[in-house]
Amino acid sequence: MAPPGTGTLVNTLAILAGSGLGWGVGSRLPQRMSQTLLQAMGSLVLVLGIQMALTLGSAAQAVTVLVALMSGAVLGEWIDIEAAFERIGQALEKQVSRWLGPNPITHAFVTTSILFVVGPMTLLGSIQDGLGDPSLLLVKAALDGIATLAFTASLGWGTLFSAVPVLLVQGGVALLARQLQPLLRPDLIAALEATGGILILGIGLNLLGLARLRVANLLPALVIVELLVGFFPVWDLHF
């Protein structure tokens, strides 16, 4: 078991390293090589999502996760979380541009910050990181490092500053999870991992270009599955 926050620290360092490499050699990196690197990481994310989802041990558990996913999809699509994230990003970019003036640093910072902070890998990975398991955030760190390299080559060194919100958001969630660890029963953690694995599977499909799933709109499922397992023990569901 690694010290809490290890994954967050590695993720932050990966973004800084990716920015440095992108500034130095990114412009000379062939596009097909960048694409192949992202496809390789997409394959790894796909396998990781499948592995996490396969922690389901019974039909009853699978039904619970299915109900959570369906309910989460309805709620997420009704709210349209993905579109809300895009509007937040546009508003942030407009506000920051008002303070600093329109420049490539602003655009690069806002674009990469939203990309690296929003998503199920951030939430689930940070919770696991707080509980001493940095494995998911280590995969995210590799993804973010490669993405930062590519973004820095095209958008400029403003991507460097996206390391700050990543450190603050992921570190904050990890710290909160650490404090709440006594309340997180093993079945709650396993249910979260199984549901999150399916969302991560969707990210892998998106990275490979096999689908265009609105994964952000499924985020409410992570909360719903905890409520189902936590408040309806009469179902006798033990993950």
Side-chain angles (χ1 to χ4, degrees):
M1 180 175 291
T6 299
T8 297
L9 180 59
V10 172
N11 199 166
T12 303
L13 293 175
I15 292 173
L16 295 176
S19 296
L21 288 173
W23 182 250
V25 303
S27 59
R28 295 190 290 273
L29 191 68
Q31 184 177 1
R32 60 186 179 86
M33 186 178 295
S34 300
Q35 185 178 12
T36 302
L37 287 172
L38 287 176
Q39 287 174 344
M41 294 306 304
S43 300
L44 178 60
V45 171
L46 195 68
V47 171
L48 182 64
I50 293 173
Q51 183 181 25
M52 294 174 64
L54 288 178
T55 57
L56 294 173
S58 69
Q61 295 169 7
V63 169
T64 304
V65 172
L66 176 62
V67 170
L69 287 170
M70 293 178 64
S71 305
V74 170
L75 181 59
E77 288 290 343
W78 179 61
I79 301 173
D80 202 353
I81 297 174
E82 196 147 311
F85 283 151
E86 292 176 0
R87 289 193 297 270
I88 291 172
Q90 293 168 359
L92 283 173
E93 184 169 357
K94 183 177 179 180
Q95 189 65 37
V96 175
S97 297
R98 184 180 302 170
W99 295 335
L100 303 179
N103 57 72
I105 295 178
T106 301
H107 179 60
F109 165 68
V110 173
T111 299
T112 51
S113 293
I114 294 173
L115 176 67
F116 297 155
V117 169
V118 173
M121 287 189 79
T122 299
L123 177 61
L124 186 59
S126 299
I127 292 173
Q128 291 181 337
D129 192 31
L131 299 178
D133 178 12
S135 56
L136 187 55
L137 282 190
L138 294 181
V139 174
K140 181 178 179 292
L143 279 171
D144 290 354
I146 294 172
T148 305
L149 191 155
F151 276 117
T152 304
S154 59
L155 299 178
W157 60 275
T159 57
L160 180 75
F161 298 105
S162 62
V164 176
V166 166
L167 180 63
L168 294 178
V169 172
Q170 293 184 179
V173 174
L175 181 61
L176 181 62
R178 182 69 174 176
Q179 297 301 316
L180 296 178
Q181 185 175 10
L183 303 177
L184 296 176
R185 305 193 317 257
D187 57 340
L188 293 175
I189 296 174
L192 184 67
E193 290 181 352
T195 308
I198 296 175
L199 271 62
I200 291 169
L201 179 63
I203 294 175
L205 293 173
N206 286 345
L207 286 171
L208 291 172
L210 300 176
R212 179 61 185 94
L213 304 177
R214 293 187 292 275
V215 180
N217 285 351
L218 292 173
L219 284 172
L222 297 175
V223 177
I224 293 173
V225 77
E226 296 296 88
L227 294 175
L228 290 175
V229 176
F231 290 97
F232 294 97
V234 293
W235 287 14
D236 195 25
L237 299 176
H238 299 289
F239 283 79

